[in-house]
Amino acid sequence: MIGYYVHHHGSGHLHRARSVASAWPGEVTGLSTLPRPKGWTGDWVHLDDDAPADGHHDVTAGGHLHWAPVGHPGLSSRMARIASWLEAARPSLLVSDHSVEITLLARLHGVPVVAVVLPGDRSDPAHLLGYGVCEALVAMWPATARVRTGLPPDLLARLRCVGGLSRFAPTEPRPRRTEEAHVAVLWGRGGDGPPEHELTAARSRTPGWTWTVLGGDQWVEDPFAALLSADVVLTHGGQNAVAETAAARRPAIVLPQARPFDEQHAMGRALDDDRWPVIVCRSLPEDGWSTLLERARRLDGHRWQGWCDGHAADRFVAVLQEAGGA
């Protein structure tokens, strides 16, 4: 049996966990502040929240950790809960997606850890410490993608790039339609989406295009049907949004958002490459929407094959088995 720590911010970490758990041949216990997801077949350890930090000082332990607010009862109880589970369950391995503190806690219990690496500058002391104690590191992009991590050579040697991991099986792109075109705005629930007034202005400047917003107040559990029907997807630079756009084989306009460690901007720089059917924008344009959408519409969605081929979860499982999870 293995454990899988699921970070609670947004929905991408949970989507990854569910995909890997479905591909894993044995039992997977989830550990998270999030409630047990529908369809999860293994055990689920629900953790107390350790936020906010109001009234608690030194949340980074002098820059050596990411989140360890002094005197926070939620932090104390969640760590005690995980420690109790580690002692009782004796997992063969823990997946950390991702918390440096929980990575260290598991390793100090003698449990091997495989951690998920996100894009961006991960060269700070806390990341280097957490990744340094892991048996292996997994990244959800193809090895051919030029994604910046800031990791030194010894840690890059442990990094296994499994490709874009989507909940949905990749599909062949449908033929281009001649009737009214459709743009899907794919935004998660973990961050701010495009301002409504900017989307309204874009709609008014794009006659012949239908707009569907998926995210924020209009978030939906399963966006894939809307992605498949889109001629262009407008999305942020999160890994799951990119992977699901890639699985739908739809050309994309990617608008990276500000995130810690420059995460989405690092993804945007990697996607700004002729190999991928993407136009990367720093901000939403005030004018020229019709031209931008038509440019994106002409990109070949088949080119996403190199990013997301539908086998990322199986490769992830292979890494876990090699690391001792079997």
Side-chain angles (χ1 to χ4, degrees), residues 304-316:
W304 277 124
Q305 168 68 23
W307 190 279
C308 175
D309 64 3
H311 300 294
D314 295 328
R315 296 189 192 99
F316 199 137

Side-chain angles (χ1 to χ4, degrees), residues 266-304:
M267 179 66 82
R269 286 189 288 272
L271 290 170
D272 194 10
D273 186 308
D274 288 341
R275 289 175 296 168
W276 320 118
V278 175
I279 297 172
V280 178
C281 296
R282 293 186 177 181
S283 61
L284 291 176
E286 293 185 8
D287 298 304
W289 266 108
S290 292
T291 300
L292 179 63
L293 290 174
E294 287 298 337
R295 278 181 57 209
R297 190 184 189 189
R298 289 193 292 269
L299 298 174
D300 182 5
H302 283 98
R303 284 155 51 193
W304 277 124

Side-chain angles (χ1 to χ4, degrees), residues 8 35 65 111 174 259 273 298 322:
H8 58 274
L65 299 172
V111 176
R174 55 166 175 71
R259 292 292 185 272
D273 186 308
R298 289 193 292 269
E322 292 169 10

Side-chain angles (χ1 to χ4, degrees), residues 102 189 228 232:
I102 289 172
R189 52 184 178 181
L228 291 174
V232 174

Side-chain angles (χ1 to χ4, degrees), residues 74-86 105:
L75 176 67
S76 177
S77 65
R78 72 193 274 115
M79 290 303 188
R81 182 77 176 91
I82 296 171
S84 176
W85 175 80
L86 289 167
L105 180 66

Side-chain angles (χ1 to χ4, degrees):
M1 184 271 292
I2 68 171
Y4 199 121
Y5 171 73
V6 184
H7 197 280
H8 58 274
H9 184 74
S11 55
H13 305 280
L14 180 59
H15 292 332
R16 285 197 289 268
R18 294 175 73 171
S19 296
V20 173
S22 295
W24 181 253
E27 182 184 352
V28 181
T29 295
L31 304 98
S32 183
T33 308
L34 297 170
R36 180 191 184 98
K38 182 179 179 181
W40 187 272
T41 58
D43 289 336
W44 189 266
V45 179
H46 187 259
L47 306 174
D48 287 341
D49 196 353
D50 59 355
D54 295 346
H56 304 280
H57 68 282
D58 195 15
V59 300
T60 66
H64 296 285
L65 299 172
H66 286 154
W67 192 258
V70 171
H72 197 299
L75 176 67
S76 177
S77 65
R78 72 193 274 115
M79 290 303 188
R81 182 77 176 91
I82 296 171
S84 176
W85 175 80
L86 289 167
E87 171 64 20
R90 301 293 176 98
S92 59
L93 182 143
L94 181 81
V95 179
S96 177
D97 186 6
H98 175 254
S99 163
V100 167
E101 293 74 29
I102 289 172
T103 296
L104 296 173
L105 180 66
R107 187 63 187 84
L108 287 169
H109 280 75
V111 176
V113 182
V114 172
V116 173
V117 174
L118 303 180
D121 185 359
R122 308 290 166 173
S123 63
D124 60 284
H127 271 120
L128 296 182
L129 174 61
Y131 291 150
V133 305
C134 290
E135 300 296 311
L137 306 172
V138 176
M140 255 60 71
W141 56 78
T144 57
R146 303 182 185 97
V147 178
R148 181 189 180 213
T149 63
L151 297 182
D154 62 318
L155 293 184
L156 285 175
R158 301 184 209 173
L159 184 65
R160 296 284 296 276
C161 298
V162 300
L165 198 163
S166 170
R167 293 174 286 170
F168 311 109
T171 184
E172 286 299 308
R174 55 166 175 71
R176 189 178 300 168
R177 296 179 298 192
T178 57
E179 67 270 20
E180 184 177 69
H182 175 209
V183 55
V185 181
L186 179 62
W187 230 263
R189 52 184 178 181
D192 297 332
E196 181 58 35
H197 71 276
E198 292 189 7
L199 290 179
T200 299
R203 288 190 188 97
S204 69
R205 295 186 174 103
T206 51
W209 285 81
T210 298
W211 290 65
T212 300
V213 178
L214 308 165
D217 294 339
Q218 301 174 69
W219 186 83
V220 295
E221 177 66 29
D222 184 351
F224 205 53
L227 296 183
L228 291 174
S229 70
D231 294 278
V232 174
V233 176
L234 170 64
T235 187
H236 53 79
Q239 291 185 93
N240 283 71
V242 170
E244 293 181 355
T245 301
R249 302 293 192 252
R250 309 315 303 145
I253 298 169
V254 171
L255 183 69
Q257 301 295 286
R259 292 292 185 272
F261 308 103
D262 204 30
E263 178 180 327
Q264 289 199 14
H265 289 288
M267 179 66 82
R269 286 189 288 272
L271 290 170
D272 194 10
D273 186 308
D274 288 341
R275 289 175 296 168
W276 320 118
V278 175
I279 297 172
V280 178
C281 296
R282 293 186 177 181
S283 61
L284 291 176
E286 293 185 8
D287 298 304
W289 266 108
S290 292
T291 300
L292 179 63
L293 290 174
E294 287 298 337
R295 278 181 57 209
R297 190 184 189 189
R298 289 193 292 269
L299 298 174
D300 182 5
H302 283 98
R303 284 155 51 193
W304 277 124
Q305 168 68 23
W307 190 279
C308 175
D309 64 3
H311 300 294
D314 295 328
R315 296 189 192 99
F316 199 137
V317 164
V319 174
L320 300 182
Q321 292 173 328
E322 292 169 10

